[in-house]
Amino acid sequence: AQSVTQLDSQVPVFEEAPVELRCNYSSSVSVYLFWYVQYPNQGLQLLLKYLSGSTLVESINGFEAEFNKSQTSFHLRKPSVHISDTAEYFCAVTPNTGFQKLVFGTGTRLLVSP
Amino acid sequence: ETGVTQTPRHLVMGMTNKKSLKCEQHLGHNAMYWYKQSAKKPLELMFVYSLEERVENNSVPSRFSPECPNSSHLFLHLHTLQPEDSALYLCASSPSGEEGETQYFGPGTRLLVL
């Protein structure tokens, strides 16, 4: 079985400051890792994912995440946040074989203020 | 319409009522999912369908009954619910359900059980 821990339930930050949202996972098998974002009153959208290859993955809006197998982490970072990044961010994993069964963390609410 | 749509967006029901949630995807996908999103808890995968066949049922109480008449439509039939079933119910779809795919989420139905 898999589990995902997002220790920070809420992260307040000022606009243009850097941010890191932490994600750690536990699994007895190899996994694929995902970050999804949920804007107010909307469903989740994929932000980025790690399947294989380079351990650093990037999204089109400036976020990046690095897969660290030894630390079982997949932290999300952005060097300079915007007001529009205010949302809830979910880390998720699924075993890399068989049917996809995403296991999500509890989410981190990013609050960006001017 | 494009993407994944869900109706109704909001639903209030008594514990003795019977209601249904509807999900429709316009993406040509073959896998569909129901999730439950409760406050302070991780998203919980409830049901997975692939090509209209149920492939996962995550120990969900029988008062929740899914139906997938074709690959574009997914229903969640509700009866004799409890107040703790109040939550946001999210539907998602993916091309085939393979491990590394992106899931596309609808905006959810917010359910309140009185």
Side-chain angles (χ1 to χ4, degrees):
Chain A
Q2 292 75 45
S3 67
V4 176
T5 302
Q6 293 181 252
L7 286 174
D8 305 307
S9 60
Q10 189 165 290
V11 173
V13 65
F14 289 109
E15 193 174 19
E16 298 183 6
V19 70
E20 179 179 80
L21 306 183
R22 296 179 293 168
C23 172
N24 288 89
Y25 70 93
S26 171
S27 177
S28 57
V29 300
S30 296
V31 296
Y32 291 150
L33 300 112
F34 303 76
W35 276 99
Y36 280 84
V37 58
Q38 186 177 31
Y39 298 102
N41 299 313
Q42 295 185 29
L44 280 69
Q45 305 171 31
L46 180 74
L47 193 58
L48 48 74
K49 60 184 176 182
Y50 172 76
L51 304 183
S52 64
S54 171
T55 56
L56 184 66
V57 290
E58 299 176 351
S59 72
I60 58 173
N61 57 354
F63 283 93
E64 64 180 28
E66 186 157 21
F67 170 52
N68 188 319
K69 188 174 182 179
S70 62
Q71 297 186 6
T72 60
S73 67
F74 191 52
H75 302 329
L76 182 69
R77 295 187 292 263
K78 189 171 185 180
S80 176
V81 295
H82 302 291
I83 297 285
S84 59
D85 293 325
T86 294
E88 188 137 22
Y89 292 79
F90 295 91
C91 182
V93 301
T94 185
N96 67 358
T97 56
F99 207 85
Q100 185 179 90
K101 300 175 190 176
L102 287 175
V103 174
F104 284 86
T106 49
T108 298
R109 184 169 300 278
L110 177 64
L111 297 170
V112 183
S113 54
Chain B
E1 293 208 55
T2 59
V4 181
T5 58
Q6 291 185 243
T7 54
R9 293 293 308 274
H10 300 271
L11 180 62
V12 180
M13 59 187 290
M15 290 191 285
T16 58
N17 291 158
K18 289 185 180 181
K19 297 286 184 182
S20 295
L21 310 185
K22 179 183 176 182
C23 174
E24 184 173 2
Q25 58 95 2
H26 309 268
L27 301 168
H29 290 168
N30 289 316
M32 296 188 77
Y33 311 78
W34 277 118
Y35 289 90
K36 177 183 180 182
Q37 186 178 22
S38 305
K40 307 296 184 187
K41 294 176 70 175
L43 269 79
E44 302 171 52
L45 178 63
M46 301 175 71
F47 301 104
V48 182
Y49 277 83
S50 175
L51 295 171
E52 300 109 64
E53 288 194 18
R54 192 188 310 178
V55 297
E56 182 74 17
N57 176 355
N58 261 1
S59 303
V60 179
S62 59
R63 57 185 183 268
F64 294 91
S65 175
E67 179 190 2
C68 188
N70 55 63
S71 59
S72 298
H73 294 86
L74 186 64
F75 294 89
L76 188 62
H77 303 299
L78 317 171
H79 63 97
T80 59
L81 294 192
Q82 304 299 311
E84 59 264 29
D85 297 322
S86 298
L88 182 67
Y89 288 85
L90 292 166
C91 173
S93 71
S94 69
S96 64
E98 291 185 4
E99 312 88 356
E101 289 178 351
T102 298
Q103 290 190 19
Y104 294 81
F105 286 79
T109 294
R110 186 159 298 280
L111 173 67
L112 177 62
V113 181
L114 300 177

